[in-house]
Amino acid sequence: MKKRILAGLLALGMTVLALNGCAKKPAAETTAASAETSAAPAANAASESVAPTAASSAGQKTGRAASNEIAVGIAQDLDESLDPHLTVAAGTREVMFNVFEGLVKPDPDGNLIPAVAADVAVSDDGLVYTFTLREGVKFHNGDPVTMEDVIWSIRRNADDSEGEALVPALTSISDITSEDNKLLITLSEPNNEFLSYLTLAILPADYDKQDTAPVGTGPFRFVSRKAQDSIVLERFDDYWGEPAGVDRVTYKISENAEGLILGLQSGALDVVSHMTSTQIVQLKESEFNVEEGTMNLVQALYLNNAEKPFDDVRVRQALCYAVDKQGVIDMAFDGYGVPLGSSMYPAFGKYFDESLTDYYTVDISKAKALLAEAGYPNGFEMTITVPSNYQPHMDTAQVIAEQLKSIGVKATIQPVEWASWLSDVYSGRKYQSTLVGVDASEMTASAMLKRFVSTAGNNFVNYSSADYDALYEKALACADDAEQTLIFREMEKNLTENAANVYIQDMADLVVVRKGLEGLTFYPLYVLDVSRLHWAE
C-alpha cells in the first residue's frame, strides 16, 4: 500500500502576504543570499534611457510593456558558475529558480508539488519513493528529459567519493532503479525531509557547459550573461507547464543602492526586491506599487566562534544582552521586520520556536558583568565585515555598532565587495564578525540548522558543540515527525543558549513594482518567480 503525495504534501504552515502600499504588518519575513547574504557587483541601471513602460494616455502600451518584456534590478552578480548544483549565493537561486526544476518544486504556500515528475508515492515504511516521470518535458536545448538524465542528476548530488556530497542527505539512498517511466529510490533508513531534496535541478547528463550556458526545464531559458552587468532570460515556448507571462526578462545588476532607485525613477527598471522604507519614499506613488512579503532568512551578527574574543561564550552572550533587536528594526527599517532569537524564521511553521525571541532581553549591566568575567572589563575592539552592496545589512551594522558602545565595545565596520565576502568570510573564514542574512536552500529544518554542525563544510561561524552535533544525528535517525520536530527545536535552543550568533530579525521584503505590471507572488523561500508577472491588458 502506498501513500500518494499530492499538491498539499509537506506544507510547513507557511504564510505569505502581498500588500499594495507600505502598511506595517505584525509579522514579516526576509531576504538574503544563498547560504548567506545579498550583495552585488556592478552596472548602472539608471544609465539607460527608456520609454515609459505603462500604458500611455491613449491606452496603448509602450516601451517594454509593448514588447512584453520586463527589467528587474538586483543588488548582486550571480555566482561565477551558474551550475545549479554548485550554487553558493542565494541571489543566484533567486534568479535561476525560473530556469531549473526538480522532480518536485515548491509552490507559494510552501507545498511540494510535482514538476519533472507527474506523480510521487511513498511506501508505508517510508523507504521507497516512486516517481512517475512527466511525459513531454524538454530541456531548453530541445532534448527530451530522459530517465538517464534524472538518475545522473541525483547520483551527482549524492556522490561522496571525493569528500562530502553536494547534498549529504542523498547519501542515504541505497538503490535507484527504473522501469519504463517509473523511478524507484530506496533509502537505507526513513527520512522525513527526503522529498524536499528532490527539488534539486534535473540537468542533461551529457551537457558540459552548465556553468556558463545553463540548460534546465523551467519556464524561462538562459540567453546571456554579462558579468557584473546583466543576465537575460527568455520564455521557453516548449515548457510543459503554464507558460510565462512575459517574453523576456533582463536582470540589471547595481552594487550601488542608489543606482536601483535611479533605475526605477528613470524607467530603466520595473521591479526591485528587498528595498528599504527609506528608499521607497523616494519613489512616486503614482508610478509604483509596493508589495510587502517576506525575505525568509535569518539576519544576524554572525560571530566567528574560533576567533578571540568570540571563542568565549560569555563574550557572545554579552553581545546578545547589549543588542536591542527591536531597536535595530525601528531605527534601520522603520519597524518593518520580525525579531528572531535563533536560526529559524517564522515561515517554517512548526520548527519555529517563538519563545527564543526574547531569550536575551537588553541588560547592559549583565552584559558588562559577563565581559568582566571573561577578562574584558573595559570592553574590546572588533570588526564587522559587511557586503557593501547590500544596504539593509550596512544599516543594521551601523545601528549595532552604536548600541555596542554602551558596553565598551568599539565596532569598526569593514565594507567588502560580494566576491571578497564569499572568498574571505564564507569560504576562508578569515573574519571576526559579519552582518548578513542566511536562508534555506530547501524547505527543510536541516537546511537552516545543519550548517552549525561542527564538521559541516558551510559552518562558516566555526560553531562547535558536541551536544548540538549529537542532537542533529538523533534528528536524522528519527522517523517520527513530531519527535523529530522537537529535536530540531532543541537544536535551535542550543544555538541560542550558547549565543552562537547575535540574532536580529527576519527582514520584511518590500518589492517595488511598476504600475501596470501584475502577478507578483511571494514564496516561503528566497526566490522571485518572474513567470507569474505580466502586463495588465
Side-chain angles (χ1 to χ4, degrees), residues 220-286:
F220 283 94
R221 70 178 188 88
F222 174 84
V223 175
S224 64
R225 174 188 189 179
K226 187 176 180 180
Q228 299 187 348
D229 180 84
S230 60
I231 299 96
V232 178
L233 307 180
E234 285 184 349
R235 177 166 58 190
F236 181 44
D237 291 334
D238 287 333
Y239 180 56
W240 63 266
E242 183 178 351
V246 295
D247 296 336
R248 188 180 180 93
V249 182
T250 300
Y251 294 87
K252 299 181 180 180
I253 304 159
S254 176
E255 66 176 354
N256 187 324
E258 189 60 27
L260 296 173
I261 293 294
L262 293 174
L264 290 165
Q265 292 172 332
S266 70
L269 299 175
D270 303 308
V271 180
V272 177
S273 300
H274 325 318
M275 304 291 281
T276 67
S277 55
T278 303
Q279 292 172 315
I280 287 170
V281 297
Q282 301 177 54
L283 302 171
K284 294 181 180 179
E285 292 184 13
S286 61

Side-chain angles (χ1 to χ4, degrees), residues 487-506:
I487 298 172
F488 282 131
R489 288 166 70 104
E490 278 296 309
M491 292 174 66
E492 296 165 40
K493 185 178 180 182
N494 178 287
L495 294 173
T496 302
E497 290 178 339
N498 291 310
N501 307 289
V502 182
Y503 296 104
I504 308 298
Q505 64 169 326
D506 181 4

Side-chain angles (χ1 to χ4, degrees), residues 472-484:
Y472 185 65
E473 290 301 319
K474 184 178 179 181
L476 291 184
C478 183
D480 181 80
D481 183 69
E483 183 181 349
Q484 186 184 61

